[in-house]
PDB file of all heavy atoms in Angstrom:
ATOM      1  N   ILE A 151       1.607  -0.723 -21.498  1.00  0.00           N
ATOM      2  CA  ILE A 151       1.558  -1.415 -22.788  1.00  0.00           C
ATOM      3  C   ILE A 151       2.977  -1.446 -23.330  1.00  0.00           C
ATOM      4  O   ILE A 151       3.601  -0.405 -23.531  1.00  0.00           O
ATOM      5  CB  ILE A 151       0.647  -0.688 -23.800  1.00  0.00           C
ATOM      6  CG1 ILE A 151      -0.778  -0.553 -23.261  1.00  0.00           C
ATOM      7  CG2 ILE A 151       0.639  -1.415 -25.150  1.00  0.00           C
ATOM      8  CD1 ILE A 151      -1.675   0.341 -24.119  1.00  0.00           C
ATOM      9  N   VAL A 152       3.493  -2.652 -23.546  1.00  0.00           N
ATOM     10  CA  VAL A 152       4.805  -2.789 -24.192  1.00  0.00           C
ATOM     11  C   VAL A 152       4.571  -3.454 -25.537  1.00  0.00           C
ATOM     12  O   VAL A 152       4.016  -4.556 -25.605  1.00  0.00           O
ATOM     13  CB  VAL A 152       5.774  -3.630 -23.336  1.00  0.00           C
ATOM     14  CG1 VAL A 152       7.160  -3.635 -23.991  1.00  0.00           C
ATOM     15  CG2 VAL A 152       5.863  -3.087 -21.913  1.00  0.00           C
ATOM     16  N   ILE A 153       4.979  -2.783 -26.593  1.00  0.00           N
ATOM     17  CA  ILE A 153       4.652  -3.237 -27.941  1.00  0.00           C
ATOM     18  C   ILE A 153       5.875  -3.210 -28.846  1.00  0.00           C
ATOM     19  O   ILE A 153       6.680  -2.278 -28.798  1.00  0.00           O
ATOM     20  CB  ILE A 153       3.509  -2.372 -28.529  1.00  0.00           C
ATOM     21  CG1 ILE A 153       3.040  -2.909 -29.882  1.00  0.00           C
ATOM     22  CG2 ILE A 153       3.897  -0.896 -28.617  1.00  0.00           C
ATOM     23  CD1 ILE A 153       1.715  -2.310 -30.353  1.00  0.00           C
ATOM     24  N   GLU A 154       6.038  -4.276 -29.602  1.00  0.00           N
ATOM     25  CA  GLU A 154       7.044  -4.320 -30.665  1.00  0.00           C
ATOM     26  C   GLU A 154       6.380  -4.967 -31.875  1.00  0.00           C
ATOM     27  O   GLU A 154       5.198  -5.307 -31.838  1.00  0.00           O
ATOM     28  CB  GLU A 154       8.275  -5.099 -30.215  1.00  0.00           C
ATOM     29  CG  GLU A 154       8.032  -6.540 -29.827  1.00  0.00           C
ATOM     30  CD  GLU A 154       9.318  -7.238 -29.437  1.00  0.00           C
ATOM     31  OE1 GLU A 154      10.320  -7.089 -30.176  1.00  0.00           O
ATOM     32  OE2 GLU A 154       9.340  -7.924 -28.404  1.00  0.00           O
ATOM     33  N   GLY A 156       4.601  -7.107 -34.026  1.00  0.00           N
ATOM     34  CA  GLY A 156       3.906  -8.389 -33.978  1.00  0.00           C
ATOM     35  C   GLY A 156       3.674  -8.946 -32.584  1.00  0.00           C
ATOM     36  O   GLY A 156       3.043 -10.003 -32.435  1.00  0.00           O
ATOM     37  N   GLU A 157       4.170  -8.274 -31.531  1.00  0.00           N
ATOM     38  CA  GLU A 157       3.984  -8.760 -30.172  1.00  0.00           C
ATOM     39  C   GLU A 157       3.693  -7.596 -29.232  1.00  0.00           C
ATOM     40  O   GLU A 157       4.262  -6.515 -29.394  1.00  0.00           O
ATOM     41  CB  GLU A 157       5.240  -9.489 -29.664  1.00  0.00           C
ATOM     42  CG  GLU A 157       5.556 -10.779 -30.390  1.00  0.00           C
ATOM     43  CD  GLU A 157       6.813 -11.418 -29.829  1.00  0.00           C
ATOM     44  OE1 GLU A 157       6.693 -12.206 -28.858  1.00  0.00           O
ATOM     45  OE2 GLU A 157       7.904 -11.138 -30.346  1.00  0.00           O
ATOM     46  N   ALA A 158       2.844  -7.850 -28.247  1.00  0.00           N
ATOM     47  CA  ALA A 158       2.542  -6.814 -27.245  1.00  0.00           C
ATOM     48  C   ALA A 158       2.102  -7.487 -25.949  1.00  0.00           C
ATOM     49  O   ALA A 158       1.538  -8.586 -25.968  1.00  0.00           O
ATOM     50  CB  ALA A 158       1.457  -5.874 -27.750  1.00  0.00           C
ATOM     51  N   VAL A 159       2.383  -6.815 -24.831  1.00  0.00           N
ATOM     52  CA  VAL A 159       1.857  -7.255 -23.546  1.00  0.00           C
ATOM     53  C   VAL A 159       1.159  -6.071 -22.881  1.00  0.00           C
ATOM     54  O   VAL A 159       1.587  -4.915 -23.019  1.00  0.00           O
ATOM     55  CB  VAL A 159       2.943  -7.810 -22.602  1.00  0.00           C
ATOM     56  CG1 VAL A 159       3.498  -9.119 -23.134  1.00  0.00           C
ATOM     57  CG2 VAL A 159       4.053  -6.807 -22.372  1.00  0.00           C
ATOM     58  N   ILE A 160       0.073  -6.369 -22.177  1.00  0.00           N
ATOM     59  CA  ILE A 160      -0.675  -5.360 -21.418  1.00  0.00           C
ATOM     60  C   ILE A 160      -0.567  -5.755 -19.955  1.00  0.00           C
ATOM     61  O   ILE A 160      -0.882  -6.901 -19.586  1.00  0.00           O
ATOM     62  CB  ILE A 160      -2.131  -5.315 -21.878  1.00  0.00           C
ATOM     63  CG1 ILE A 160      -2.204  -4.911 -23.361  1.00  0.00           C
ATOM     64  CG2 ILE A 160      -2.943  -4.349 -21.020  1.00  0.00           C
ATOM     65  CD1 ILE A 160      -3.560  -5.111 -23.987  1.00  0.00           C
ATOM     66  N   LYS A 172      -2.566  -9.550 -20.358  1.00  0.00           N
ATOM     67  CA  LYS A 172      -2.915  -9.952 -21.717  1.00  0.00           C
ATOM     68  C   LYS A 172      -1.684  -9.924 -22.609  1.00  0.00           C
ATOM     69  O   LYS A 172      -0.879  -8.994 -22.531  1.00  0.00           O
ATOM     70  CB  LYS A 172      -3.993  -9.017 -22.307  1.00  0.00           C
ATOM     71  CG  LYS A 172      -4.517  -9.445 -23.669  1.00  0.00           C
ATOM     72  CD  LYS A 172      -5.294 -10.758 -23.569  1.00  0.00           C
ATOM     73  CE  LYS A 172      -5.818 -11.208 -24.928  1.00  0.00           C
ATOM     74  NZ  LYS A 172      -6.542 -12.492 -24.833  1.00  0.00           N
ATOM     75  N   VAL A 174      -0.651 -10.248 -26.738  1.00  0.00           N
ATOM     76  CA  VAL A 174      -1.195 -10.209 -28.103  1.00  0.00           C
ATOM     77  C   VAL A 174      -0.074 -10.536 -29.085  1.00  0.00           C
ATOM     78  O   VAL A 174       1.004  -9.930 -29.032  1.00  0.00           O
ATOM     79  CB  VAL A 174      -1.782  -8.818 -28.442  1.00  0.00           C
ATOM     80  CG1 VAL A 174      -2.369  -8.823 -29.850  1.00  0.00           C
ATOM     81  CG2 VAL A 174      -2.838  -8.418 -27.415  1.00  0.00           C
ATOM     82  N   GLU A 175      -0.322 -11.519 -29.964  1.00  0.00           N
ATOM     83  CA  GLU A 175       0.650 -11.863 -31.004  1.00  0.00           C
ATOM     84  C   GLU A 175      -0.051 -11.866 -32.349  1.00  0.00           C
ATOM     85  O   GLU A 175      -1.198 -12.309 -32.478  1.00  0.00           O
ATOM     86  CB  GLU A 175       1.261 -13.239 -30.722  1.00  0.00           C
ATOM     87  CG  GLU A 175       2.122 -13.286 -29.462  1.00  0.00           C
ATOM     88  CD  GLU A 175       2.753 -14.647 -29.245  1.00  0.00           C
ATOM     89  OE1 GLU A 175       2.441 -15.576 -30.008  1.00  0.00           O
ATOM     90  OE2 GLU A 175       3.568 -14.771 -28.315  1.00  0.00           O
ATOM     91  N   PHE A 176       0.647 -11.356 -33.360  1.00  0.00           N
ATOM     92  CA  PHE A 176       0.069 -11.262 -34.702  1.00  0.00           C
ATOM     93  C   PHE A 176       1.232 -11.190 -35.690  1.00  0.00           C
ATOM     94  O   PHE A 176       2.199 -10.464 -35.454  1.00  0.00           O
ATOM     95  CB  PHE A 176      -0.803 -10.000 -34.814  1.00  0.00           C
ATOM     96  CG  PHE A 176      -1.590  -9.900 -36.086  1.00  0.00           C
ATOM     97  CD1 PHE A 176      -2.788 -10.581 -36.239  1.00  0.00           C
ATOM     98  CD2 PHE A 176      -1.132  -9.120 -37.142  1.00  0.00           C
ATOM     99  CE1 PHE A 176      -3.516 -10.480 -37.411  1.00  0.00           C
ATOM    100  CE2 PHE A 176      -1.856  -9.020 -38.319  1.00  0.00           C
ATOM    101  CZ  PHE A 176      -3.052  -9.703 -38.447  1.00  0.00           C
ATOM    102  N   GLU A 201      -1.214  -2.219 -39.140  1.00  0.00           N
ATOM    103  CA  GLU A 201      -2.384  -1.481 -38.660  1.00  0.00           C
ATOM    104  C   GLU A 201      -3.386  -2.425 -37.996  1.00  0.00           C
ATOM    105  O   GLU A 201      -3.990  -2.095 -36.965  1.00  0.00           O
ATOM    106  CB  GLU A 201      -3.043  -0.751 -39.835  1.00  0.00           C
ATOM    107  CG  GLU A 201      -2.225   0.427 -40.348  1.00  0.00           C
ATOM    108  CD  GLU A 201      -2.812   1.022 -41.620  1.00  0.00           C
ATOM    109  OE1 GLU A 201      -3.929   0.584 -42.023  1.00  0.00           O
ATOM    110  OE2 GLU A 201      -2.177   1.892 -42.219  1.00  0.00           O
ATOM    111  N   THR A 202      -3.562  -3.615 -38.581  1.00  0.00           N
ATOM    112  CA  THR A 202      -4.466  -4.611 -38.000  1.00  0.00           C
ATOM    113  C   THR A 202      -3.976  -5.034 -36.614  1.00  0.00           C
ATOM    114  O   THR A 202      -4.760  -5.154 -35.669  1.00  0.00           O
ATOM    115  CB  THR A 202      -4.557  -5.849 -38.909  1.00  0.00           C
ATOM    116  OG1 THR A 202      -5.004  -5.446 -40.213  1.00  0.00           O
ATOM    117  CG2 THR A 202      -5.520  -6.886 -38.338  1.00  0.00           C
ATOM    118  N   PHE A 203      -2.660  -5.241 -36.507  1.00  0.00           N
ATOM    119  CA  PHE A 203      -2.066  -5.610 -35.218  1.00  0.00           C
ATOM    120  C   PHE A 203      -2.276  -4.506 -34.187  1.00  0.00           C
ATOM    121  O   PHE A 203      -2.668  -4.761 -33.052  1.00  0.00           O
ATOM    122  CB  PHE A 203      -0.577  -5.894 -35.417  1.00  0.00           C
ATOM    123  CG  PHE A 203       0.196  -6.005 -34.141  1.00  0.00           C
ATOM    124  CD1 PHE A 203      -0.095  -7.004 -33.211  1.00  0.00           C
ATOM    125  CD2 PHE A 203       1.215  -5.112 -33.853  1.00  0.00           C
ATOM    126  CE1 PHE A 203       0.624  -7.109 -32.021  1.00  0.00           C
ATOM    127  CE2 PHE A 203       1.939  -5.210 -32.678  1.00  0.00           C
ATOM    128  CZ  PHE A 203       1.643  -6.204 -31.761  1.00  0.00           C
ATOM    129  N   TYR A 204      -2.029  -3.256 -34.589  1.00  0.00           N
ATOM    130  CA  TYR A 204      -2.207  -2.124 -33.658  1.00  0.00           C
ATOM    131  C   TYR A 204      -3.640  -2.074 -33.160  1.00  0.00           C
ATOM    132  O   TYR A 204      -3.899  -1.812 -31.974  1.00  0.00           O
ATOM    133  CB  TYR A 204      -1.855  -0.801 -34.338  1.00  0.00           C
ATOM    134  CG  TYR A 204      -0.408  -0.644 -34.723  1.00  0.00           C
ATOM    135  CD1 TYR A 204      -0.030   0.153 -35.807  1.00  0.00           C
ATOM    136  CD2 TYR A 204       0.603  -1.293 -34.015  1.00  0.00           C
ATOM    137  CE1 TYR A 204       1.295   0.307 -36.171  1.00  0.00           C
ATOM    138  CE2 TYR A 204       1.930  -1.141 -34.376  1.00  0.00           C
ATOM    139  CZ  TYR A 204       2.276  -0.352 -35.449  1.00  0.00           C
ATOM    140  OH  TYR A 204       3.589  -0.196 -35.796  1.00  0.00           O
ATOM    141  N   LYS A 205      -4.596  -2.320 -34.042  1.00  0.00           N
ATOM    142  CA  LYS A 205      -6.007  -2.272 -33.652  1.00  0.00           C
ATOM    143  C   LYS A 205      -6.351  -3.397 -32.683  1.00  0.00           C
ATOM    144  O   LYS A 205      -7.141  -3.206 -31.741  1.00  0.00           O
ATOM    145  CB  LYS A 205      -6.892  -2.333 -34.891  1.00  0.00           C
ATOM    146  CG  LYS A 205      -6.878  -1.038 -35.698  1.00  0.00           C
ATOM    147  CD  LYS A 205      -7.690  -1.142 -36.973  1.00  0.00           C
ATOM    148  CE  LYS A 205      -7.608   0.175 -37.767  1.00  0.00           C
ATOM    149  NZ  LYS A 205      -8.313   0.082 -39.058  1.00  0.00           N
ATOM    150  N   LEU A 206      -5.753  -4.571 -32.907  1.00  0.00           N
ATOM    151  CA  LEU A 206      -5.989  -5.686 -31.977  1.00  0.00           C
ATOM    152  C   LEU A 206      -5.478  -5.334 -30.570  1.00  0.00           C
ATOM    153  O   LEU A 206      -6.149  -5.580 -29.571  1.00  0.00           O
ATOM    154  CB  LEU A 206      -5.273  -6.948 -32.483  1.00  0.00           C
ATOM    155  CG  LEU A 206      -5.919  -7.690 -33.647  1.00  0.00           C
ATOM    156  CD1 LEU A 206      -5.002  -8.832 -34.111  1.00  0.00           C
ATOM    157  CD2 LEU A 206      -7.270  -8.264 -33.247  1.00  0.00           C
ATOM    158  N   VAL A 207      -4.287  -4.749 -30.528  1.00  0.00           N
ATOM    159  CA  VAL A 207      -3.713  -4.363 -29.233  1.00  0.00           C
ATOM    160  C   VAL A 207      -4.581  -3.296 -28.571  1.00  0.00           C
ATOM    161  O   VAL A 207      -4.867  -3.354 -27.376  1.00  0.00           O
ATOM    162  CB  VAL A 207      -2.263  -3.851 -29.409  1.00  0.00           C
ATOM    163  CG1 VAL A 207      -1.705  -3.356 -28.065  1.00  0.00           C
ATOM    164  CG2 VAL A 207      -1.374  -4.949 -29.972  1.00  0.00           C
ATOM    165  N   ALA A 208      -5.013  -2.313 -29.362  1.00  0.00           N
ATOM    166  CA  ALA A 208      -5.851  -1.236 -28.825  1.00  0.00           C
ATOM    167  C   ALA A 208      -7.170  -1.783 -28.295  1.00  0.00           C
ATOM    168  O   ALA A 208      -7.647  -1.350 -27.229  1.00  0.00           O
ATOM    169  CB  ALA A 208      -6.098  -0.181 -29.901  1.00  0.00           C
ATOM    170  N   GLU A 209      -7.779  -2.724 -29.009  1.00  0.00           N
ATOM    171  CA  GLU A 209      -9.040  -3.320 -28.553  1.00  0.00           C
ATOM    172  C   GLU A 209      -8.878  -3.999 -27.199  1.00  0.00           C
ATOM    173  O   GLU A 209      -9.718  -3.862 -26.299  1.00  0.00           O
ATOM    174  CB  GLU A 209      -9.549  -4.334 -29.589  1.00  0.00           C
ATOM    175  CG  GLU A 209     -10.122  -3.686 -30.842  1.00  0.00           C
ATOM    176  CD  GLU A 209     -10.448  -4.727 -31.915  1.00  0.00           C
ATOM    177  OE1 GLU A 209     -10.324  -5.943 -31.636  1.00  0.00           O
ATOM    178  OE2 GLU A 209     -10.814  -4.324 -33.043  1.00  0.00           O
ATOM    179  N   GLU A 210      -7.771  -4.743 -27.041  1.00  0.00           N
ATOM    180  CA  GLU A 210      -7.519  -5.427 -25.772  1.00  0.00           C
ATOM    181  C   GLU A 210      -7.239  -4.408 -24.664  1.00  0.00           C
ATOM    182  O   GLU A 210      -7.719  -4.556 -23.528  1.00  0.00           O
ATOM    183  CB  GLU A 210      -6.341  -6.393 -25.904  1.00  0.00           C
ATOM    184  CG  GLU A 210      -6.623  -7.598 -26.808  1.00  0.00           C
ATOM    185  CD  GLU A 210      -7.718  -8.497 -26.246  1.00  0.00           C
ATOM    186  OE1 GLU A 210      -8.011  -8.418 -25.029  1.00  0.00           O
ATOM    187  OE2 GLU A 210      -8.290  -9.283 -27.024  1.00  0.00           O
ATOM    188  N   ALA A 211      -6.455  -3.375 -24.992  1.00  0.00           N
ATOM    189  CA  ALA A 211      -6.155  -2.346 -23.990  1.00  0.00           C
ATOM    190  C   ALA A 211      -7.430  -1.619 -23.576  1.00  0.00           C
ATOM    191  O   ALA A 211      -7.648  -1.351 -22.385  1.00  0.00           O
ATOM    192  CB  ALA A 211      -5.133  -1.359 -24.544  1.00  0.00           C
ATOM    193  N   ASN A 212      -8.277  -1.286 -24.537  1.00  0.00           N
ATOM    194  CA  ASN A 212      -9.554  -0.633 -24.225  1.00  0.00           C
ATOM    195  C   ASN A 212     -10.396  -1.506 -23.301  1.00  0.00           C
ATOM    196  O   ASN A 212     -10.987  -1.026 -22.325  1.00  0.00           O
ATOM    197  CB  ASN A 212     -10.339  -0.351 -25.510  1.00  0.00           C
ATOM    198  CG  ASN A 212      -9.666   0.691 -26.393  1.00  0.00           C
ATOM    199  OD1 ASN A 212      -8.812   1.458 -25.925  1.00  0.00           O
ATOM    200  ND2 ASN A 212     -10.023   0.721 -27.657  1.00  0.00           N
ATOM    201  N   ARG A 213     -10.440  -2.794 -23.626  1.00  0.00           N
ATOM    202  CA  ARG A 213     -11.260  -3.721 -22.829  1.00  0.00           C
ATOM    203  C   ARG A 213     -10.752  -3.819 -21.388  1.00  0.00           C
ATOM    204  O   ARG A 213     -11.538  -3.802 -20.434  1.00  0.00           O
ATOM    205  CB  ARG A 213     -11.242  -5.111 -23.483  1.00  0.00           C
ATOM    206  CG  ARG A 213     -12.132  -6.137 -22.801  1.00  0.00           C
ATOM    207  CD  ARG A 213     -12.020  -7.492 -23.469  1.00  0.00           C
ATOM    208  NE  ARG A 213     -10.665  -7.999 -23.423  1.00  0.00           N
ATOM    209  CZ  ARG A 213     -10.112  -8.571 -22.346  1.00  0.00           C
ATOM    210  NH1 ARG A 213     -10.817  -8.709 -21.233  1.00  0.00           N
ATOM    211  NH2 ARG A 213      -8.872  -9.017 -22.375  1.00  0.00           N
ATOM    212  N   PHE A 236       1.943   2.959 -32.886  1.00  0.00           N
ATOM    213  CA  PHE A 236       0.749   2.388 -32.256  1.00  0.00           C
ATOM    214  C   PHE A 236      -0.166   3.495 -31.736  1.00  0.00           C
ATOM    215  O   PHE A 236      -1.386   3.466 -31.948  1.00  0.00           O
ATOM    216  CB  PHE A 236       1.148   1.446 -31.126  1.00  0.00           C
ATOM    217  CG  PHE A 236       0.031   1.137 -30.169  1.00  0.00           C
ATOM    218  CD1 PHE A 236      -1.023   0.325 -30.556  1.00  0.00           C
ATOM    219  CD2 PHE A 236       0.024   1.665 -28.880  1.00  0.00           C
ATOM    220  CE1 PHE A 236      -2.073   0.051 -29.679  1.00  0.00           C
ATOM    221  CE2 PHE A 236      -1.016   1.394 -28.003  1.00  0.00           C
ATOM    222  CZ  PHE A 236      -2.052   0.581 -28.405  1.00  0.00           C
ATOM    223  N   GLY A 240      -3.294   3.163 -33.762  1.00  0.00           N
ATOM    224  CA  GLY A 240      -3.862   1.956 -33.181  1.00  0.00           C
ATOM    225  C   GLY A 240      -5.323   1.994 -32.804  1.00  0.00           C
ATOM    226  O   GLY A 240      -5.932   0.952 -32.600  1.00  0.00           O
ATOM    227  N   LEU A 242      -6.536   3.502 -29.940  1.00  0.00           N
ATOM    228  CA  LEU A 242      -6.714   3.528 -28.501  1.00  0.00           C
ATOM    229  C   LEU A 242      -7.816   4.523 -28.154  1.00  0.00           C
ATOM    230  O   LEU A 242      -7.836   5.640 -28.675  1.00  0.00           O
ATOM    231  CB  LEU A 242      -5.404   3.917 -27.817  1.00  0.00           C
ATOM    232  CG  LEU A 242      -5.268   3.662 -26.309  1.00  0.00           C
ATOM    233  CD1 LEU A 242      -5.320   2.168 -26.011  1.00  0.00           C
ATOM    234  CD2 LEU A 242      -3.968   4.262 -25.789  1.00  0.00           C
TER     235      LEU A 242
END
Side-chain angles (χ1 to χ4, degrees):
I151 302 171
V152 185
I153 186 167
E154 60 178 314
E157 294 180 88
V159 292
I160 298 168
K172 186 67 180 179
V174 181
E175 294 182 354
F176 188 81
E201 289 173 7
T202 302
F203 168 62
Y204 294 151
K205 287 176 182 176
L206 284 174
V207 176
E209 286 173 5
E210 292 296 341
N212 293 341
R213 184 182 60 79
F236 163 71
L242 195 64

